[in-house]
Amino acid sequence: MTISKIALTMLIGNLFALQAVAAGIDCKKPSSTSDHLICADQSLGARDAMTSDLYAAALKTDDASKIKQRQQRWVKSLQSCQDAACVRQAYDDQIGYLLTTKGGRSVSTNFTAENANGNEGNLSIFGPVDGLTAVSVASTFVGPGGVDAGDVNADGVSGVIPLKDGHGKLSADNCSIGFDRLNAQTWRVSQTGACQFADGVTMQGTYRRE
């Protein structure tokens, strides 16, 4: 799976758009720094496969024009990367976005949590693909003032993580979100560190399959 496949899938029937964004990757003759990086890194190839599948699903159920335009911008930003960290972050950002689309959710396994502290959470799991799993977790906090008073905050986080024996961790800055697969129907999400989520919002809880 290569960027060329993503671009071609995205732009079939649209020749002008194809000319604009389909830089393409031929791993026999990589033509840019990002091409070389992706061709040499199995984890980036797995991310490319995830992006392709999630993008195809989003095209079927969401606003296709909006999805195509965002993907177009993403391909350009990806091809501007000069190191693996940039490429990885570009993929993770786009995968996180695609997981929140109707199509992304339709091909993911989805879980919800209702916690006594006023949070309602949603967890989407996609994969694994070559040992990597895409996760997106979001939570909404309803304070004592209630929805009518606007006492509502929401936040979320997403990424691509390796899972070992059903355990994985997503870390950013001083925040760590742990994912533990208890069984086919249940995941436990934990939260440690200084996570700068909106007031009252927490990701931790027991998430059960919808």
Side-chain angles (χ1 to χ4, degrees), residues 174-198:
N174 295 317
C175 177
S176 179
I177 307 296
F179 298 88
D180 295 286
R181 183 181 183 274
L182 303 183
N183 53 56
Q185 304 296 321
T186 314
W187 284 74
R188 183 174 61 243
V189 177
S190 58
Q191 175 180 317
T192 57
C195 300
Q196 302 299 314
F197 296 132

Side-chain angles (χ1 to χ4, degrees), residues 30-181:
S31 61
S32 69
T33 299
S34 61
D35 290 0
H36 283 279
L37 292 167
I38 295 166
C39 291
D41 190 325
Q42 182 178 354
S43 71
L44 297 181
R47 285 170 164 84
D48 187 77
M50 288 181 183
T51 304
S52 180
D53 290 343
L54 290 167
Y55 171 74
L59 279 183
K60 294 178 181 179
T61 58
D62 294 78
D63 183 333
S65 176
K66 178 180 177 182
I67 296 296
K68 287 180 181 179
Q69 289 175 7
R70 180 176 176 114
Q71 187 87 348
Q72 214 172 335
R73 294 192 298 270
W74 170 75
V75 169
K76 291 180 179 178
S77 69
L78 178 67
Q79 292 176 338
S80 71
C81 284
Q82 298 298 306
D83 57 57
C86 174
V87 173
R88 188 176 300 109
Q89 188 62 57
Y91 272 117
D92 287 4
D93 289 346
Q94 184 68 351
I95 289 168
Y97 163 71
L98 290 169
L99 278 171
T100 67
T101 65
K102 293 178 183 177
R105 286 181 57 81
S106 74
V107 294
S108 301
T109 307
N110 302 294
F111 305 80
T112 59
E114 293 185 7
N115 299 323
N117 60 5
N119 274 265
E120 294 183 2
N122 293 279
L123 170 65
S124 293
I125 303 287
F126 181 80
V129 176
D130 288 340
L132 296 179
T133 299
V135 296
S136 175
V137 58
S139 192
T140 301
F141 170 74
V142 180
V147 175
D148 291 340
D151 191 4
V152 179
N153 287 314
D155 217 329
V157 64
S158 62
V160 178
I161 60 174
L163 287 176
K164 184 175 181 180
D165 298 327
H167 306 289
K169 183 170 64 175
L170 183 63
S171 299
D173 299 325
N174 295 317
C175 177
S176 179
I177 307 296
F179 298 88
D180 295 286
R181 183 181 183 274

